[in-house]
Amino acid sequence: MCDTSGWAATSTRHARAGLSRLIEPGDLLGPLTVEVLGAEQTLELIASGTGPTPQEQQRVGEAAEASGLTARQRRLPAALQRWRTRLPQIRDTQMLRSLYRCGGGLLIPEDAAWPRQLNDLGPAQPLALWFRVAAGDSDPYSLAPARLPQAGRSVAVVGSREMTDYGGKVAWETARELAAHGVSIISGGAYGIDAAAHRGSLDGAQEDGWPALAVLAGGVDRFYPAGNDRLLHAILDRGIILSEMPPGSAPTRHRFLQRNRLIAALAAGTVVVEARWRSGALSTAHHAMDIGRPVGAVPGSVYSASSAGCHRLLRHTPAQLITDAADIMELVAADGADPGWPPGLRPAASAAVTGDAESRSATDGLGEVDRRIFEALPVRSTTTPSRLSEAAGLPMPQVLGGLTRLERKRLVHRTGGRWGRTGHQLGRT
Amino acid sequence: MCDTSGWAATSTRHARAGLSRLIEPGDLLGPLTVEVLGAEQTLELIASGTGPTPQEQQRVGEAAEASGLTARQRRLPAALQRWRTRLPQIRDTQMLRSLYRCGGGLLIPEDAAWPRQLNDLGPAQPLALWFRVAAGDSDPYSLAPARLPQAGRSVAVVGSREMTDYGGKVAWETARELAAHGVSIISGGAYGIDAAAHRGSLDGAQEDGWPALAVLAGGVDRFYPAGNDRLLHAILDRGIILSEMPPGSAPTRHRFLQRNRLIAALAAGTVVVEARWRSGALSTAHHAMDIGRPVGAVPGSVYSASSAGCHRLLRHTPAQLITDAADIMELVAADGADPGWPPGLRPAASAAVTGDAESRSATDGLGEVDRRIFEALPVRSTTTPSRLSEAAGLPMPQVLGGLTRLERKRLVHRTGGRWGRTGHQLGRT
């Protein structure tokens, strides 16, 4: 379906452009019909105004059944009626041309550059991805491929619009550190945590990196929310802005929730920095879990409403607790053996919490006997070996042997026939 | 071993009192030898100065091997030598009498009141428990049984001495709420989180409850740390103070770590409120896990060193995230079906985090079609059904049917031939 340049045929691109206008995200029969009949033929069928042939209906019905769609979702004639309602809106070639002029274009599954990780969405995969990469004269199609998220080198950092200073700091710092290690940060371009994560990724970016990726719920031609206009323009310089909705589309609540599945599927893992008890960020996390991607959540004060959703995830789902960028690297690295994943910020094999976790002290590494002798020694005075034998509950030969070993380690000192600790090392745990 | 009063014979009590002086906690062959030979005979053997008979050695050796002790730990002659070093310190009858006068006594496994949950410690179970319950004229042996922790009605709340205001607040509030529900709080009597938990339990206690239980690393005759003297005396009025170390024993680091296993074993579950990366509170948590008790940890700021140990537990162990007293009730209630456990603070079946967690809004509970219609309506103006059909991507009959349903729910209103939303319900998640 794509020529040697890696790009699909123009007719296919135009057909998918039109279809992305007609078929609402989440309308699962749409992508299935396109998969079975092809983009051009599906568009023709919709535009023709006629019903599907029995053959067409059967082929689509079988594929839909195999994908687990309900009997109602599988009804092609009803779907065609739905999709026809927006036919008056189709101005595909013009739409593509005017978007091209402002640095954008359309990616479709038939393109070599299509992010294959979206396949994990199964029947919920998008029909196409509208993108914007620049405002200048450059050819957006030559810029886009390098800026798309690599399957294993991108992380979604998401959260509530109502963030605290704490959440903003965590989002900014972790995104910055990840970007500095060549990881792209994917978020939703919203106020609050999303914006902090985008900003962090831009601030931490490597010279030649493409750190920032925003997935919008509405069209890429008008940035939403307006207050993030400057931020989203900055992303055009150092990343890419995506949407499955065609230019001119308004962001509706339904589309925000659908958009979240794209964020989850594009990233190697999703981290929720702050979320209220009910928050759209949780839906992104659940989309990620549904397709088997690792999810992390940042803890916070139990008194902060902005952390309640994160705590909820940590209590009731397999979400992993995240305290810093290194934890995120571990989260996504543990998941797959992606060869392209950059080396971790700290050794991947994290220090296990051992059974005898305790304060580091002078007696760390001592044997049982030597430790008992050391601890039986008075802290600020000295004692005789026989008193020490009684205090430690150990026979004299063991006490004398232990004192010699401890003296060699400079933990104890002898004054005449009496022994004491070296310095003050009262340890308590 | 105990008469109809429920108390063991005096000779057994005196023997265990002496043994608790001779045998250091963690010296696993001690309790095993006592189990095999009996308390009196073990003490006689130690005091006799002679070696064990081949029979004695064989019986103890077999029990020790069955309990998984190493060959070295199993050597009875070497153990007898260790235990003999403190023989000069035994003044058992006097010790018991003077402690009795200050409101204390000795509990031993042969007593009916012995907390059976300690059996879970296996070979690490204590030889005896020294206790203190009052400073007055009352008979401590008549007061103690009611104040001991019931297997399923007590929770350990522990943490670092270096606590933050946040940690202190969480410890105090959760302990207070649990105590108000008749749950006893077990902690270590230390500064910081321990003290906050003890205070909370005393402040929240029911009239007839015994909310506070402190387990000390040193003797119960002198309270440590001195700065908590008033608090520990307050616990005497409303609870009990325990230690496996006999009166006069100093708290050493080794004994603090050993003490932690008693806190873990006495409680139905252990909650760590604040702990640094290396903290004794983590050892209590691990003791609890080792014997299959549930463990919880309170999250906090990722920038707080005092929460680092809790986050470590949450990341690398099965510890459950705790945000309030209700979470703790759920933690311990989920574990066992203890019939005596008080009803939870909120329905035990916690609200699951569903896949489509989202802000509660006007469209909650609407069907897919109605939701799409509602969302396609302009927020601050009105529109015609045909425009709505196009905007929503749904055929006219569906749009008209949906509008009627939405009108019945008072979510939309009609003005002439145009439709709009009722009020302002712009929802975004």
Side-chain angles (χ1 to χ4, degrees):
Chain A
M1 289 229 199
C2 65
D3 62 23
T4 51
S5 70
W7 296 102
T10 307
S11 60
T12 314
R13 192 174 317 279
H14 284 185
R16 286 211 181 244
L19 290 166
S20 85
R21 173 79 69 195
L22 303 181
I23 302 172
E24 190 73 19
D27 194 338
L28 300 181
L29 198 63
L32 271 169
T33 306
V34 172
E35 203 179 306
V36 173
L37 306 182
E40 290 95 328
Q41 200 175 335
T42 304
L43 186 58
E44 269 168 36
L45 178 61
I46 297 171
S48 71
T50 63
T53 66
Q55 265 177 320
E56 285 170 338
Q57 197 159 348
Q58 195 193 332
R59 284 169 60 207
V60 171
E62 278 166 8
E65 198 172 354
S67 289
L69 271 64
T70 65
R72 204 175 150 180
Q73 287 174 320
R74 292 201 295 269
R75 283 161 50 198
L76 186 54
L80 288 170
Q81 263 197 286
R82 278 200 301 279
W83 303 337
R84 277 173 189 141
T85 54
R86 284 197 194 131
L87 269 176
Q89 293 184 8
I90 293 202
R91 301 175 297 271
D92 48 323
T93 53
Q94 189 195 324
M95 193 162 67
L96 278 166
R97 214 171 298 144
S98 61
L99 185 60
Y100 185 89
R101 276 195 297 270
C102 66
L106 182 72
L107 269 168
I108 60 176
E110 291 86 354
D111 293 329
W114 181 256
R116 301 283 150 212
Q117 62 266 44
L118 290 172
N119 293 350
D120 293 349
L121 288 169
Q125 60 193 280
L127 283 165
L129 281 177
W130 297 87
F131 68 89
R132 239 175 114 183
V133 279
D137 301 324
S138 337
D139 171 20
Y141 287 91
S142 69
L143 293 178
R147 303 195 183 190
L148 287 164
Q150 315 276 298
R153 292 179 75 98
S154 43
V155 167
V157 177
V158 299
S160 298
R161 283 168 304 162
E162 312 88 356
M163 70 169 180
T164 65
D165 289 348
Y166 166 70
K169 190 179 174 198
V170 175
W172 183 83
E173 284 190 352
T174 51
R176 188 192 48 165
E177 197 166 347
L178 288 169
H181 281 79
V183 176
S184 307
I185 302 299
I186 307 178
S187 198
Y191 291 132
I193 297 297
D194 285 16
H198 287 311
R199 286 203 180 90
S201 72
L202 293 170
D203 292 344
Q206 295 177 338
E207 283 272 306
D208 55 349
W210 303 107
L213 204 145
V215 187
L216 304 183
V220 295
D221 57 329
R222 46 171 172 172
F223 290 158
Y224 178 92
N228 278 350
D229 198 70
R230 266 185 63 188
L231 172 63
L232 290 163
H233 272 99
I235 291 176
L236 290 186
D237 293 332
R238 302 300 310 271
I240 191 166
I241 291 177
L242 299 173
S243 174
E244 64 181 317
M245 297 308 300
S249 304
T252 64
R253 182 153 178 269
H254 171 76
R255 290 171 186 165
F256 275 111
L257 290 171
Q258 290 292 334
R259 183 274 315 265
N260 292 343
R261 85 190 195 289
L262 299 185
I263 293 180
L266 286 168
T270 292
V271 174
V272 184
V273 177
E274 274 191 333
R276 290 175 171 254
W277 186 255
R278 282 167 159 265
S279 158
L282 299 183
S283 92
T284 311
H286 284 282
H287 280 302
M289 288 179 206
D290 286 347
I291 57 171
R293 300 283 161 81
V295 169
V298 175
S301 163
V302 299
Y303 300 114
S304 168
S306 296
S307 288
C310 290
H311 295 158
R312 194 180 179 193
L313 277 177
L314 292 169
R315 275 182 63 77
H316 300 294
T317 77
Q320 185 58 258
L321 185 138
I322 297 296
T323 66
D324 57 17
D327 287 349
I328 298 174
M329 300 287 268
E330 212 179 296
L331 177 81
V332 287
D335 182 50
D338 187 272
W341 193 261
L345 308 186
R346 68 168 175 234
S350 78
V353 185
T354 56
D356 53 351
E358 52 195 42
S359 304
R360 191 177 288 282
S361 89
T363 56
D364 273 8
L366 290 186
E368 174 78 25
V369 165
D370 292 3
R371 182 182 293 197
R372 262 169 78 172
I373 295 168
F374 181 83
E375 286 173 357
L377 279 167
V379 178
R380 287 179 193 80
S381 60
T382 56
T383 190
T384 63
S386 67
R387 291 241 179 101
L388 196 53
S389 159
E390 199 181 315
L394 292 169
M396 276 294 275
Q398 281 195 34
V399 169
L400 292 173
L403 284 173
T404 310
R405 286 189 294 274
L406 291 168
E407 192 180 24
R408 224 177 293 136
K409 289 175 182 165
R410 302 192 186 181
L411 290 169
V412 302
H413 62 94
R414 191 199 312 229
T415 319
R418 302 178 67 87
W419 294 79
R421 297 190 189 190
T422 307
H424 293 289
Q425 280 140 338
L426 178 61
R428 202 239 109 163
T429 21
Chain B
M1 291 234 196
C2 65
D3 61 23
T4 51
S5 71
W7 295 103
T10 307
S11 60
T12 313
R13 193 173 316 278
H14 284 185
R16 287 212 180 243
L19 291 166
S20 83
R21 173 79 70 194
L22 302 182
I23 302 172
E24 191 71 19
D27 194 338
L28 299 180
L29 198 64
L32 270 169
T33 306
V34 171
E35 205 179 304
V36 173
L37 304 182
E40 289 95 328
Q41 200 176 334
T42 304
L43 186 58
E44 268 168 38
L45 179 60
I46 297 171
S48 70
T50 62
T53 66
Q55 264 177 321
E56 285 169 339
Q57 197 160 347
Q58 195 193 333
R59 284 169 60 207
V60 172
E62 278 167 7
E65 197 171 354
S67 289
L69 271 63
T70 64
R72 204 175 150 177
Q73 288 173 319
R74 290 202 298 267
R75 281 162 51 198
L76 186 54
L80 288 171
Q81 261 196 288
R82 277 199 302 278
W83 302 337
R84 276 173 191 145
T85 54
R86 284 197 194 131
L87 269 175
Q89 292 183 8
I90 293 201
R91 298 174 299 270
D92 49 323
T93 52
Q94 189 195 324
M95 193 161 68
L96 277 166
R97 214 171 297 145
S98 62
L99 184 60
Y100 184 89
R101 276 195 296 270
C102 68
L106 183 73
L107 269 168
I108 60 176
E110 290 85 354
D111 293 329
W114 180 257
R116 301 283 150 211
Q117 62 266 45
L118 290 173
N119 293 348
D120 293 350
L121 287 170
Q125 59 193 281
L127 283 165
L129 282 177
W130 297 87
F131 69 88
R132 241 174 113 181
V133 279
D137 301 324
S138 336
D139 172 19
Y141 286 91
S142 68
L143 293 178
R147 302 194 182 191
L148 286 164
Q150 316 275 299
R153 293 179 74 97
S154 43
V155 168
V157 177
V158 298
S160 298
R161 283 169 302 161
E162 311 85 358
M163 70 170 182
T164 66
D165 288 348
Y166 166 70
K169 191 180 173 197
V170 175
W172 183 83
E173 284 189 352
T174 51
R176 189 193 49 165
E177 197 165 348
L178 288 170
H181 281 78
V183 176
S184 307
I185 302 299
I186 308 179
S187 198
Y191 292 132
I193 297 298
D194 286 15
H198 286 310
R199 286 202 181 90
S201 72
L202 293 171
D203 292 345
Q206 294 177 339
E207 283 272 305
D208 55 350
W210 303 107
L213 205 144
V215 187
L216 304 184
V220 295
D221 57 329
R222 46 171 174 173
F223 291 159
Y224 178 91
N228 278 349
D229 198 70
R230 267 185 64 186
L231 172 63
L232 290 164
H233 272 99
I235 291 176
L236 290 186
D237 294 332
R238 301 300 310 272
I240 191 166
I241 291 176
L242 299 173
S243 174
E244 63 181 317
M245 296 307 302
S249 304
T252 64
R253 181 154 179 267
H254 171 75
R255 289 169 186 167
F256 276 111
L257 290 171
Q258 290 293 332
R259 182 276 314 266
N260 291 343
R261 85 190 196 287
L262 299 184
I263 293 179
L266 285 168
T270 293
V271 174
V272 183
V273 176
E274 274 191 332
R276 292 175 168 253
W277 186 255
R278 283 168 160 263
S279 158
L282 299 183
S283 92
T284 311
H286 284 283
H287 279 302
M289 289 179 204
D290 286 347
I291 57 172
R293 302 283 161 79
V295 169
V298 175
S301 164
V302 299
Y303 300 115
S304 167
S306 297
S307 288
C310 290
H311 294 157
R312 193 180 179 193
L313 277 177
L314 292 168
R315 276 181 63 77
H316 299 294
T317 76
Q320 184 59 257
L321 186 138
I322 297 296
T323 65
D324 56 18
D327 288 349
I328 298 175
M329 300 288 267
E330 212 178 296
L331 178 80
V332 286
D335 181 51
D338 187 89
W341 193 260
L345 307 186
R346 68 168 176 235
S350 79
V353 185
T354 57
D356 54 351
E358 52 196 42
S359 304
R360 190 177 288 282
S361 89
T363 57
D364 273 7
L366 291 185
E368 174 78 25
V369 166
D370 292 5
R371 184 183 291 198
R372 262 168 76 171
I373 295 168
F374 180 84
E375 286 172 359
L377 279 167
V379 178
R380 286 178 194 81
S381 60
T382 55
T383 190
T384 63
S386 67
R387 292 242 179 102
L388 197 52
S389 159
E390 201 183 311
L394 293 168
M396 277 294 275
Q398 281 195 35
V399 169
L400 292 171
L403 284 172
T404 311
R405 284 189 296 273
L406 290 169
E407 191 180 25
R408 225 178 292 134
K409 289 178 180 162
R410 303 192 185 180
L411 289 169
V412 304
H413 61 94
R414 188 199 315 233
T415 318
R418 303 177 66 87
W419 294 79
R421 297 190 188 190
T422 306
H424 294 289
Q425 281 139 340
L426 178 59
R428 200 240 110 163
T429 23

